[in-house]
Amino acid sequence: MKRTMVAYTKNILERVSFDPKLFCKELEKALKVLLPYEIEQLMEWLINFTNEKPELKKCFIEINK
């Protein structure tokens, strides 16, 4: 079964969510390679994911600027 790049990125971000700096770094890398519609999907997921982890919200806010 083929995995999408967005699914792969979500998996990586979930795995590194214990470290906000690493999370930011991986998110920045993902945004460089994802297509615009994939970035939209990832942003929707990030909103929900960071609600439970306020320490990661800083990174999400910085990326959104």
Side-chain angles (χ1 to χ4, degrees):
M1 183 177 201
K2 187 177 178 183
R3 288 179 71 178
T4 65
M5 202 54 194
V6 175
Y8 175 75
T9 301
K10 289 177 188 177
N11 187 287
I12 296 295
L13 290 173
E14 286 173 350
R15 289 181 183 198
V16 300
S17 65
F18 66 91
D19 182 358
K21 287 184 181 181
L22 188 54
F23 184 86
C24 287
K25 192 175 191 178
E26 289 297 328
L27 181 57
E28 287 173 3
K29 287 196 308 189
L31 293 175
K32 290 178 184 175
V33 298
L34 292 175
L35 297 173
Y37 77 93
E38 293 172 322
I39 292 174
E40 285 180 27
Q41 293 173 1
L42 183 64
M43 291 300 172
E44 289 175 15
W45 175 83
L46 276 171
I47 291 168
N48 292 326
F49 187 71
T50 57
N51 278 339
E52 299 171 4
K53 300 178 186 256
E55 67 275 8
L56 300 177
K57 219 170 198 52
K58 295 176 195 171
C59 180
F60 176 63
I61 291 169
E62 288 180 24
I63 298 294
N64 255 351
K65 288 181 183 178

